[in-house]
Amino acid sequence: MNIVQLTPGAGGMYCGGCFRDNALVKGLRSQGHDVLMVPLYLPLTLEDDDQSKETPIFYGGIGVFLRQYAQWLPSSWTRWLSHRSLLGKVAGKAARTRPEDTGALTVSMLRGLDGRQAGELNALVDWLKEHGQPDVVCLSNALLLGMCPAIKRGLGVKVVCTLQGEDTFLDALREPYRTEAWEELSRLAAEVDAWIAPSQYYGRTMQNRLKVVENRIHVVPNGIPLEGYQMSSLPAHPPVLGYFARMCPQKGLATLVDAFCDLKKQDSTKHLKLMIGGGCGPGDVAFVESLKVTLKHAGLSDDVTWHPNLSREEKLDFFSRLTLFSVPALYGESFGLYVLESLASGVPVVQPPHAAFPEIIAQTGGGILSEGLSAQDLSASIRCLLMDRPRLLAKAKEGRESVIRTGSVQSMCDGVLNVFEHLSRWFEFNGFEATLDGFDQSKSPPSMQLHFLWVFSIIFPRDIEQ
């Protein structure tokens, strides 16, 4: 099958969506499919070989920004500003743009050929025409839907869109852009031939918000490369609690720190250690420093270690040293690759009882849900599992076996290919049917981490709405 994957890059930032798409493309290629991965905005920062490294970057982040706020800019300038080498140098210094500051630009991008970035869209479509006729074009997330009509008409191709936590970003936009963006997305949703959601929870969420016909949404759980993960010994003397995600408020890191402080006050868990790892960009430093101050005031600085921006090998070692894991995300997480990563190392998880987590815990059996969302609820649940060693070991074994069985890149590729093949048969026989009927749809068909958060203040660290 001939497939084009369009994926926004996050420059110097680690991004779960980039990891997922890159792993998917690599897996599909290993099965003999012809997959062209096209990066957008900025280069991808990855743990594995970049499957897009031979492809030019379209919608270069600097040019897209300037086109929005300097319409007089010659097209030759934007082409020059999209060179991979230049974007790579600048992206590492990017400040983090808040979603509420990107409303006008987001709406313009969603308007496609009627937006201020029409030139970039035409350039992309023309380039795709010159590089073969795909069977399917896959958009990494719904914020790319402005490209959909031009791609479908220009290439005569089917378009699939994966869903990766767009609602949190869109809901943070300022009015009137929030309403306008959702209206544009709802209008464009009819152009999409099939949707892929990573969880039943998020599929239903976006189905309701975009008013998508139910049989257009498939659930394909995310998968991770399982190579290199080793079973943790689940140390007990002392036990080690772990966190591995972006070091930001939305992921609930402050809640976890508060829960850790509470646990350290109790005799049964007073020897507990905390390891904090994950992406830490320029916009996260102040938050992290505030947490270090909290821990210092509690006299716990020596019991916590920080591990920002690890390589894959360092990440594998990180997980192998944990006893228990938790990322108590505060928002409606669409999936959470970090849960799979923990379970792949045989480390049980304690997650909040909302978003996709109940679904994932029920499917994998690799952990428990806290009673509520507070730090005290989280603390009580962590303590409960730490104090029940047989249950901890059973959860560890069950979770690892489940991820090996259904949480691999291979499982994800099989699910995605099934969607593509069903879609092709629908166009051939007009008999396509699909249902959003559960987490196990991987057999029949990665966030406040969305790339718009970083792209548009690469060299302009200011409030761009002004």
Side-chain angles (χ1 to χ4, degrees):
M1 182 173 284
N2 244 348
I3 303 163
V4 170
Q5 173 69 46
L6 301 180
T7 298
M13 299 289 293
Y14 284 115
C15 167
C18 297
F19 287 1
R20 175 202 178 275
D21 291 355
N22 196 68
L24 174 65
V25 170
K26 184 177 181 179
L28 292 173
R29 286 176 174 172
S30 71
Q31 296 183 23
H33 297 279
D34 187 1
V35 189
L36 182 64
M37 188 175 190
V38 182
L40 308 173
Y41 312 139
L42 293 170
L44 279 62
T45 298
L46 301 162
E47 300 174 334
D48 204 351
D49 292 336
D50 185 353
Q51 302 299 305
S52 71
K53 62 185 176 183
E54 303 299 329
T55 311
I57 297 173
F58 288 87
Y59 279 85
I62 302 172
V64 165
F65 181 96
L66 292 175
R67 181 67 69 190
Q68 181 69 25
Y69 299 100
Q71 298 180 61
W72 49 266
L73 190 72
S75 297
S76 59
W77 283 34
T78 58
R79 285 194 295 270
W80 176 75
L81 291 169
S82 293
H83 287 183
R84 183 182 287 268
S85 59
L86 176 61
L87 289 172
K89 290 178 181 178
V90 177
K93 302 176 182 178
R96 178 178 180 266
T97 301
R98 299 173 302 167
E100 56 266 32
D101 295 336
T102 62
L105 183 54
T106 300
V107 171
S108 178
M109 293 284 289
L110 288 172
R111 287 176 177 162
L113 292 177
D114 293 325
R116 295 183 179 180
Q117 293 74 35
E120 283 79 3
L121 178 52
N122 283 324
L124 172 62
V125 173
D126 290 344
W127 189 86
L128 291 175
K129 287 179 181 177
E130 296 173 2
H131 289 76
Q133 178 61 40
D135 299 305
V136 176
V137 172
C138 187
L139 306 179
S140 180
N141 63 65
L143 295 179
L144 304 181
L145 284 189
M147 305 175 186
C148 185
I151 288 174
K152 293 190 71 172
R153 288 151 183 69
L155 301 176
V157 69
K158 298 174 286 295
V159 174
V160 174
C161 182
T162 59
L163 296 166
Q164 301 199 51
E166 299 86 342
D167 60 330
T168 302
F169 171 80
L170 290 165
D171 287 342
L173 298 178
R174 293 175 181 164
E175 291 291 7
Y177 304 115
R178 181 190 310 130
T179 297
E180 292 176 4
W182 277 111
E183 288 175 348
E184 288 293 331
L185 280 172
S186 296
R187 177 182 63 82
L188 291 163
E191 297 274 358
V192 179
D193 297 299
W195 302 80
I196 296 176
S199 62
Q200 179 183 355
Y201 155 78
Y202 200 64
R204 295 196 189 283
T205 296
M206 293 303 282
Q207 176 193 334
N208 292 333
R209 300 206 65 173
L210 296 179
K211 301 176 177 61
V212 176
V213 177
E214 183 175 2
N215 66 5
R216 293 289 182 93
I217 299 183
H218 308 258
V219 176
V220 179
N222 290 332
I224 60 173
L226 295 175
E227 298 81 6
Y229 284 94
Q230 300 296 321
M231 193 79 169
S232 170
S233 64
L234 304 180
H237 305 291
V240 182
L241 175 63
Y243 169 102
F244 197 93
R246 186 174 169 202
M247 297 180 189
C248 64
Q250 295 85 0
K251 291 292 184 181
L253 182 52
T255 302
L256 184 67
V257 167
D258 288 344
F260 175 72
C261 292
D262 183 62
L263 286 161
K264 293 290 288 184
K265 296 174 183 177
Q266 303 179 44
D267 286 341
S268 58
T269 51
K270 64 182 179 181
H271 299 299
L272 183 67
K273 304 295 184 182
L274 175 61
M275 291 177 61
I276 299 172
C280 183
D284 305 317
V285 173
F287 172 66
V288 168
E289 290 304 314
S290 71
L291 294 181
K292 290 181 178 180
V293 170
T294 297
L295 290 164
K296 182 179 180 180
H297 288 165
L300 300 177
S301 296
D302 292 341
D303 294 314
V304 181
T305 56
W306 299 83
H307 309 265
N309 305 322
L310 300 184
S311 67
R312 176 172 172 78
E313 292 73 21
E314 291 168 333
K315 180 180 73 174
L316 295 176
D317 178 69
F318 177 96
F319 277 104
S320 73
R321 292 191 279 156
L322 303 181
T323 310
L324 198 58
F325 180 84
S326 181
V327 176
L330 304 179
Y331 63 98
E333 183 77 272
S334 61
F335 190 81
L337 286 175
Y338 44 77
V339 173
L340 296 188
E341 292 176 323
S342 182
L343 299 183
S345 293
V347 179
V349 301
V350 177
Q351 291 299 111
H354 69 152
F357 300 126
E359 188 176 339
I360 296 173
I361 296 301
Q363 180 69 16
T364 64
I368 63 173
L369 300 172
S370 61
E371 289 296 321
L373 305 180
S374 71
Q376 291 71 32
D377 291 326
L378 183 62
S379 170
S381 298
I382 290 172
R383 182 179 178 278
C384 179
L385 197 50
L386 283 175
M387 294 299 100
D388 190 344
R389 186 74 179 181
R391 188 184 185 199
L392 181 80
L393 294 173
K395 292 293 181 184
K397 182 175 184 293
E398 187 175 359
R400 180 171 165 84
E401 290 176 349
S402 176
V403 169
I404 291 173
R405 188 171 59 251
T406 65
S408 67
V409 170
Q410 180 64 51
S411 295
M412 178 174 64
C413 288
D414 291 345
V416 169
L417 279 173
N418 206 17
V419 175
F420 293 167
E421 290 165 359
H422 273 277
L423 189 59
S424 296
R425 288 197 290 272
W426 182 84
F427 272 84
E428 292 176 8
F429 305 111
N430 196 27
F432 173 71
E433 290 185 2
T435 57
L436 197 160
D437 60 1
F439 190 82
D440 234 2
Q441 275 295 97
S442 58
K443 298 303 180 184
S444 49
S447 114
M448 292 303 289
Q449 294 176 320
L450 291 171
H451 318 298
F452 276 72
L453 291 174
W454 304 294
V455 171
F456 301 112
S457 66
I458 297 172
I459 57 175
F460 306 98
R462 63 183 180 88
D463 186 335
I464 64 175
E465 291 294 297
Q466 293 179 354

